Structures are given as structure tokens and as C-alpha cells.
Amino acid sequence: MYLKHGSPVKMMESYIAVLTKGICQSEENGSFLSKDFDARKAYLAGSIKDIVSQFGMETVILHTALMLKKRIVVYHPKIEAVQEFTRTLPALVWHRQDWTILHSYVHLNADELEALQMCPGYIAGFVDLEVSNRSDLYDVFVNLADSEITIAPLAKEAMTMGKLHKEIGQLIVQSAEDPEKSDSQVIQDISLKTREIFTNLEPFSEVSGDGKKLVLNIEALKQRRFPPATENFLYHLAAAEQMLKI
């Protein structure tokens, strides 16, 4: 286009047309329609089934950490492995559609770590094993090379597992191991279970004093007498969703 018109104006017009109308037409290349390129397809580029194949029931640790907006650090000496694994993880909490939590290649230098630590919850990828000694950077550490998941001591209370987590873990594994199901169907199964968890929170939620948002009624939650691990998880989930009274 630039060679044809000798001016960047025509290029800018096409760019603005895509931005505002989702379409760009050219004589040589036909039409470009942005609706033909669904962003959700990019979100599905990794494989949830591969993650479950590697970690089995322990995948529920990753799901729980993501639900609670915890800090996950992933290590593997090969950057390709780190990037493929990390980009898939946000699909475990599909309802949020949030890939901004992803920092798939971080170095152990002061500037990058300072920027990372300003984020409330994240998935960060490293190729330097030294990161395993930096427990200040993570709540959950994934050693991809050794297929090991470690929960940091300070995160263990919030990440206590119980009957609910076992149910979620079994659902994830059963869905992922079904040869008839695609990755998108597995994500859909997990998403339905996630919605069920939020439905469990609804009876214990009330409108805040200023009427702007839902907040957790902690007394109502305690009166329900859930198993301790379930109550603990729902409380921390409400905290992650900013549903606690300040």
C-alpha cells in the first residue's frame, strides 16, 4: 500500500478502519475481517489436557491458586516449555478471561522483579533455577522439569485442601482423560464447576452499605457449617474477589 500511494496516510486509514469497523479492504489482498480471528482461539492455543497429563490431581493446586489470585512461579530450563505451559494456565479460570496476569519470561534482575511484585497475583516464568530459593516471589512454585508443585509455607493456610478440592481435582482429571473431549470441552467442564463454586457463595453475599457491590456475610458463612477447608477456601475466594467488608 505504501509503495502504491507513497504516503503513510492510506496505511493509517486502513488501520483505523480495522480499529473502528473491524474490516480492511485492498485490491490485492481482498478483505480482512477481524471477526474471523476470535481472540478466544488464541487463549486455547495451549493444552489443558497436557497439563493434567503431567500433574494429575495436583492440577487442582494450580486451579485453587488461580482462583485465589495467588502468585505462581513456573521454572523450566527451556523457555519454550515455560511459555507453552504458562500461557495455558489462565484457561483454568476461564470465567475471568484474563491473560494480563501472565509474565511468561522473567529474569532475576531488580527492575523486572520490582515490576512483578507490584502485581497482586500472577503467573511468572523463569529459566533460572535460582528462583526456587526466592520464596518471597511465589505462593506456588512449579518445577516443570521435575513435574513438582510446591506450596510456599506462608500460603499453606489459604491453600488448605479439602473435600471440595478433591471433587474439583477428580472432575478435572476425569474430563481431561476422556479421549472424546477436546481441550475446549475440558475448559468448559472446569468453568461450569467454577460457576457452581460462585453459586455456593451467593447465599452468603449481601449488598454493601454503599450499594455498589456484593460483600461476604462471614457470620452467615460460618452458620452454614461447611467443612473447615471449604469454609476457608470460600472466605479466601471472597477476599480474592474483593468481597470482604473493609
Side-chain angles (χ1 to χ4, degrees):
M1 194 173 281
Y2 184 74
L3 287 172
K4 185 177 178 180
H5 299 283
S7 164
V9 174
K10 283 289 181 185
M11 294 165 64
M12 198 64 189
E13 283 176 0
S14 295
Y15 173 76
I16 292 170
V18 171
L19 209 59
T20 56
K21 300 175 184 174
I23 186 168
C24 165
Q25 291 175 312
S26 75
E27 292 169 15
E28 293 81 9
N29 296 324
S31 298
F32 168 87
L33 297 170
S34 56
K35 67 180 177 64
D36 292 340
F37 300 89
D38 190 337
R40 288 173 297 182
K41 287 183 181 175
Y43 294 160
L44 289 167
S47 173
I48 286 283
K49 297 185 86 159
D50 286 351
I51 289 177
V52 180
S53 173
Q54 183 170 1
F55 289 102
M57 279 292 285
E58 285 200 317
T59 308
V60 76
I61 298 173
L62 301 172
H63 178 264
T64 303
L66 288 160
M67 287 284 283
L68 300 183
K69 298 184 180 177
K70 296 297 183 185
R71 302 166 304 157
I72 301 173
V73 161
V74 178
Y75 159 77
H76 194 283
K78 293 181 178 176
I79 184 58
E80 296 86 358
V82 171
Q83 290 182 325
E84 185 174 349
F85 184 86
T86 54
R87 73 163 297 159
T88 310
L89 287 182
L92 285 169
V93 281
W94 184 258
H95 66 287
R96 291 200 184 117
Q97 298 276 295
D98 186 7
W99 264 252
T100 64
I101 61 173
L102 197 53
H103 306 263
S104 58
Y105 189 19
V106 185
H107 299 85
L108 286 170
N109 67 48
D111 288 345
E112 287 190 38
L113 296 182
E114 185 181 347
L116 184 66
Q117 288 176 300
M118 289 174 71
C119 306
Y122 52 74
I123 301 163
F126 291 82
V127 294
D128 185 347
L129 186 54
E130 179 60 29
V131 72
S132 63
N133 298 319
R134 292 293 306 269
S135 57
D136 59 311
L137 295 176
Y138 61 81
D139 299 305
V140 172
F141 179 72
V142 182
N143 185 327
L144 205 51
D146 293 341
S147 299
E148 290 178 351
I149 299 177
T150 307
I151 300 172
L154 289 175
K156 283 188 175 173
E157 188 265 330
M159 296 279 295
T160 303
M161 300 286 158
K163 181 172 174 280
L164 175 63
H165 298 90
K166 187 178 179 182
E167 284 175 17
I168 298 166
Q170 286 171 338
L171 175 130
I172 292 172
V173 170
Q174 284 169 7
S175 180
E177 287 181 347
D178 186 339
E180 300 295 315
K181 288 189 175 178
S182 65
D183 277 290
S184 59
Q185 287 171 315
V186 175
I187 289 167
Q188 195 172 10
D189 287 346
I190 298 169
S191 189
L192 285 170
K193 186 65 178 177
T194 301
R195 204 173 302 156
E196 195 181 297
I197 293 166
F198 279 106
T199 303
N200 284 340
L201 260 185
E202 282 174 12
F204 318 110
S205 306
E206 57 192 24
V207 179
S208 60
D210 58 12
K212 289 183 179 177
K213 65 174 187 176
L214 287 175
V215 294
L216 180 71
N217 182 326
I218 296 172
E219 284 307 311
L221 177 63
K222 288 187 174 180
Q223 284 169 15
R224 178 64 176 75
R225 298 190 181 278
F226 280 115
T230 301
E231 183 184 305
N232 181 59
F233 173 67
L234 291 174
Y235 172 81
H236 283 97
L237 179 59
E241 295 292 328
Q242 298 181 319
M243 289 173 62
L244 296 186
K245 292 176 184 174
I246 300 171

